Amino acid sequence: MQTIDLQFMQYSCRFILLRFKGSEGVPEFCPKYLSMAYKGKRIYNIYTGQHIVFLQTAEETNGRRLCMQMSYQGNGPEPPVHYHPHQQEVFTVKKGVLCVRMNDKLEYYPEGSMIHVPENTPHAMWNGQQGETVVHWEVQPALRTEYFMENVFGMINNAHTSRKGTLGFLQRIAIAWHFRNEFRLQKLPLSALNLLYHLCLPVLGVLRVRGSYKELMD
């Protein structure tokens, strides 16, 4: 019992109180959950070869930023256009060429380029060229982006939640709702996501489909 109480106290100290604003319940400060991401940790997408190395986590920066190194394999597919409602991003191309679609404009950024993506700006980034592309990626503030990335990669790599690297419809709805403060698809307005999620909620509960899985962040 004493050991369990000690563990509970240690875990509880990982949490901070959130202040919310507006009807969406947007956190003003980065929430600290159990610290799964750490400096030097690598996560992989086994289908695309894409991988991330965490350089600075939310816990290390007190939620101010998250720094990562992202590597893309060549001739990759263009991802869905999305935006971040409460965060800005800065990308620095360290190797190769980064394809960027932003505000319906497609551009190619060579090594040494820096790209700033303001909050609420629709964009997509990928490597559509031959050879590897490596970028330094900074997100401000961090919010729960590291947990989002760990869950997405973990779900994609998990044969029980996806087929050939594609998440199922219910799983996509669950994760989109869970991380709606960090990531939103341009083609799925928040009002539509809200409706879809609550319509699917009974089925999500029965099938135990969640937007975040602790085991994927270990």
Side-chain angles (χ1 to χ4, degrees):
M1 176 66 72
Q2 193 171 21
T3 302
I4 295 175
D5 290 343
L6 179 60
Q7 289 177 341
F8 178 79
M9 290 175 63
Q10 289 174 334
Y11 289 162
S12 298
C13 288
R14 295 287 187 181
F15 288 78
I16 63 172
L17 293 176
L18 298 179
R19 296 195 323 214
F20 293 96
K21 59 183 180 181
S23 60
E24 298 176 25
V26 179
E28 294 185 13
F29 302 103
C30 175
K32 292 183 180 179
Y33 297 96
L34 300 183
S35 181
M36 301 302 179
Y38 54 84
K39 184 177 181 179
K41 181 177 181 178
R42 295 173 179 266
I43 57 175
Y44 297 86
N45 182 325
I46 62 174
Y47 293 96
T48 65
Q50 185 181 17
H51 67 271
I52 292 173
V53 180
F54 293 105
L55 305 178
Q56 279 188 310
T57 65
E59 186 174 30
E60 291 177 287
T61 65
N62 198 29
R64 290 189 299 273
R65 64 182 174 274
L66 171 66
C67 297
M68 299 163 281
Q69 178 175 288
M70 173 86 83
S71 298
Y72 301 85
Q73 298 301 308
N75 299 314
E78 180 176 352
V81 175
H82 63 278
Y83 65 97
H84 309 284
H86 312 292
Q87 298 164 293
Q88 63 174 331
E89 298 174 296
V90 177
F91 296 84
T92 304
V93 183
K94 298 295 185 180
K95 178 183 178 182
V97 176
L98 184 65
C99 303
V100 179
R101 186 179 300 281
M102 187 158 53
N103 293 322
D104 295 323
K105 184 179 180 181
L106 178 61
E107 295 193 41
Y108 300 88
Y109 291 89
E111 183 177 327
S113 300
M114 181 177 291
I115 307 102
H116 175 241
V117 182
E119 64 180 44
N120 283 309
T121 302
H123 64 282
M125 300 189 174
W126 72 102
N127 177 10
Q129 310 291 310
Q130 293 185 348
E132 184 183 35
T133 295
V134 179
V135 300
H136 181 274
W137 177 17
E138 184 169 323
V139 184
Q140 302 175 352
L143 299 185
R144 299 178 301 166
T145 299
E146 59 197 45
Y147 306 105
F148 172 72
M149 298 307 302
E150 287 180 308
N151 271 280
V152 169
F153 277 40
M155 291 176 189
I156 288 174
N157 295 341
N158 188 330
H160 296 288
T161 56
S162 68
R163 291 183 178 181
K164 298 182 179 179
T166 302
L167 297 179
F169 173 76
L170 290 175
Q171 187 63 77
R172 281 180 283 168
I173 293 299
I175 195 169
W177 179 256
H178 188 79
F179 290 102
R180 63 193 181 279
N181 288 328
E182 290 77 23
F183 178 93
R184 294 182 192 172
L185 292 172
Q186 183 184 33
K187 292 185 176 182
L188 184 62
L190 184 60
S191 57
L193 174 61
N194 184 18
L195 177 62
L196 275 173
Y197 175 76
H198 286 93
L199 285 174
C200 295
L201 192 56
V203 181
L204 293 172
V206 171
L207 298 180
R208 298 183 180 180
V209 176
R210 304 193 302 273
S212 178
Y213 300 87
K214 178 183 177 297
E215 58 269 26
L216 298 181
M217 298 184 289
D218 290 337

